[in-house]
Amino acid sequence: MRLLKFSLIISFFGVLFLIILSLNVEPKEVFSYAELEEGVYVIVSGKVVSIREYGEFKTVKFDNNISFNCNGCGIRENLRLRVEGKVSEYRGKMQVNAERIFVESKQ
């Protein structure tokens, strides 16, 4: 019985520690494609130069050659955007899976 209580307490504090640790993760600002690292939470900015649509899913490319994916986002070319998300690799290329998108200007 004591071992069960001890393991529950340790589990609780472990989960609490992970929650607190995840709240303190700051995204890394990235300015070029070469800086992208798989698994890192990043912020990228740029002007939209191309959009590929696959139903509701879109792959968007910035003028700095960084691509990001979004689902159901209302984006058009020539918008200047700021995107937060996690970097992943797809078919040998790095891309950002957008979690938040902000419009910087509507040029």
Side-chain angles (χ1 to χ4, degrees):
M1 191 61 150
R2 295 176 87 186
L3 184 59
L4 180 63
K5 286 182 182 179
F6 178 72
S7 63
L8 286 174
I9 291 171
I10 294 298
S11 299
F12 174 75
F13 283 115
V15 170
L16 185 63
F17 174 75
L18 290 174
I19 290 171
I20 291 170
L21 185 64
S22 70
L23 294 175
N24 293 328
V25 174
E26 289 292 320
K28 175 184 173 186
E29 190 148 11
V30 173
F31 299 99
S32 71
Y33 179 83
E35 295 178 71
L36 294 177
E37 298 174 42
E38 188 173 7
V40 177
Y41 193 73
V42 297
I43 298 174
V44 294
S45 299
K47 184 178 178 183
V48 176
V49 293
S50 70
I51 301 171
R52 297 183 112 187
E53 295 186 40
Y54 309 95
E56 287 291 311
F57 184 80
K58 295 179 183 178
T59 298
V60 182
K61 192 171 199 175
F62 281 142
D63 55 351
N64 56 9
N65 206 29
I66 296 175
S67 295
F68 72 91
N69 300 321
C70 61
N71 195 10
C73 53
I75 292 176
R76 63 180 194 279
E77 289 186 17
N78 296 320
L79 284 178
R80 184 159 281 291
L81 303 176
R82 182 176 179 90
V83 176
E84 290 183 20
K86 194 170 186 181
V87 179
S88 65
E89 184 178 345
Y90 179 71
R91 294 186 178 180
K93 294 186 179 180
M94 295 297 178
Q95 60 187 11
V96 178
N97 297 315
E99 293 181 16
R100 292 190 212 175
I101 301 172
F102 305 96
V103 177
E104 291 184 335
S105 68
K106 297 182 180 182
Q107 295 178 344

